[in-house]
Amino acid sequence: MDNPLAANTLGTLGAICWSIQLLPQIIINHRRRHATGLQPAMMMLWAWAGVPLGVYNIVSSFNLALQAQPQILAFLSLVTWGQCLYYQQRRTAIETLSVAVPIGMVMAGVEVGLVFALRNRNGQDWAMTLMAALSALLLALGVLRHYVDIWKHRTVRGISFLFVGIDALGDVFSLVSVVFQKELDVLGMVIYGTELALWLGVFAAGGWYDLLPKVRQRWGSGREGKGGETRGEELGRGQAENNNTGRATGLATLHDGASSPSVFRTASRSIEG
């Protein structure tokens, strides 16, 4: 489906989402002064996924938004990985930068070299297929690493659902943007579709482990409140019945007590007579 305007517009929206997707996570980490639950392996895998994804998008002559998108993803992922070093492993800022900056430079060099190499591939499409598969694999492994943490702790911890939502929305825009390219790129759809499916799984896990127990707790407390009122009414009725029974028993006892002395008096009088 050849629609350059739609492809560029959707690709730009996807790039915007991917530009700000990690910003909520970075801000949250900075405000709470820790990154507990956030997986550094996930962030590093994502940073490296930007390299083959950038090579694939640039060599495939995608729109400029999709070409810039992987670079932004790699940069923000590397920044978030640096926060994990700084907050979780208690590294100093200088130590963190001394590790993160060289890794970023290596990533940039590898991507530039692969772009120049694959532009003159002379029909060797297997290399492009490898770039697409490698980027999809690294992105998927990054999210799956968080699945392991979810399974261990039975909760979605350390990750911002706002970040997840923005990232999933960026995947949707990018996926539809690929559809509107001049030629339908199946590999590009696989890359964005795989990550979208995994993020939907994280949403589902959050609903199952975090949201559903809260709903059940509130629903149960509401039913207990109503049940307490019902039990109170039953106790009130039971107490009233007991009072009525006690009164009836007291009257019967008084009646029996009043008749018994007259019998004894009559008997004693008979004996005396």
Side-chain angles (χ1 to χ4, degrees):
M1 187 181 297
D2 186 10
N3 192 333
L5 178 60
N8 287 322
T9 302
L10 293 170
T12 302
L13 291 175
I16 291 173
C17 289
W18 274 32
S19 299
I20 64 174
Q21 59 171 346
L22 279 169
L23 291 179
Q25 187 68 54
I26 293 172
I27 293 172
I28 288 175
N29 294 341
H30 176 71
R31 286 181 176 177
R32 65 188 181 185
R33 299 295 179 182
H34 71 82
T36 304
L38 187 63
Q39 304 302 311
M42 171 185 171
M43 293 295 101
M44 180 54 69
L45 287 169
W46 271 30
W48 277 104
V51 174
L53 182 59
V55 173
Y56 184 83
N57 288 2
I58 293 172
V59 176
S60 298
S61 299
F62 284 175
N63 56 75
L64 292 177
L66 289 181
Q67 292 183 28
Q69 186 185 78
Q71 325 310 324
I72 299 170
L73 170 66
F75 174 74
L76 293 179
S77 299
L78 199 57
V79 170
T80 311
W81 178 79
Q83 284 187 320
C84 293
L85 289 184
Y86 184 76
Y87 291 122
Q88 291 183 10
Q89 302 183 15
R90 302 299 180 183
R91 301 286 185 89
T92 63
I94 296 177
E95 289 176 342
T96 303
L97 290 174
S98 64
V99 176
V101 172
I103 293 176
M105 295 175 65
V106 171
M107 288 178 177
V110 170
E111 182 174 346
V112 171
L114 288 173
V115 167
F116 280 106
L118 294 181
R119 275 182 172 173
N120 301 319
R121 63 186 183 279
N122 296 324
Q124 296 180 358
D125 294 333
W126 64 268
M128 292 294 292
T129 304
L130 177 62
M131 291 295 103
L134 187 59
S135 62
L137 178 62
L138 292 174
L139 289 170
L141 287 176
V143 183
L144 287 174
R145 178 61 187 87
H146 204 78
Y147 271 75
V148 175
D149 186 78
I150 293 173
W151 177 256
K152 285 182 178 179
H153 299 277
R154 295 296 191 272
T155 184
V156 181
R157 65 190 191 111
I159 194 168
S160 168
F161 278 101
L162 181 59
F163 149 59
V164 175
I166 295 174
D167 190 285
L169 189 61
D171 290 328
V172 172
F173 285 134
S174 300
L175 183 63
V176 181
S177 174
V178 173
V179 173
F180 283 103
Q181 295 285 344
K182 185 176 182 180
E183 295 181 1
L184 184 63
D185 195 304
V186 178
L187 291 176
M189 295 180 65
V190 170
I191 293 172
Y192 297 114
T194 300
E195 190 182 1
L196 176 61
L198 291 174
W199 281 135
L200 292 177
V202 173
F203 269 118
W208 179 260
Y209 288 121
D210 299 326
L211 182 61
L212 188 59
K214 294 179 180 178
V215 173
R216 287 177 176 174
Q217 184 178 2
R218 291 184 179 180
W219 177 257
S221 62
R223 293 185 64 183
E224 287 177 2
K226 294 179 180 179
E229 294 176 359
T230 304
R231 286 194 296 271
E233 293 174 358
E234 291 177 354
L235 290 174
R237 287 196 298 269
Q239 186 176 1
E241 291 176 357
N242 291 335
N243 292 335
N244 294 332
T245 304
R247 291 171 183 171
T249 304
L251 291 174
T253 303
L254 291 174
H255 183 271
D256 292 341
S259 61
S260 296
S262 64
V263 173
F264 289 133
R265 287 196 298 271
T266 304
S268 60
R269 290 173 181 175
S270 300
I271 292 172
E272 289 176 356

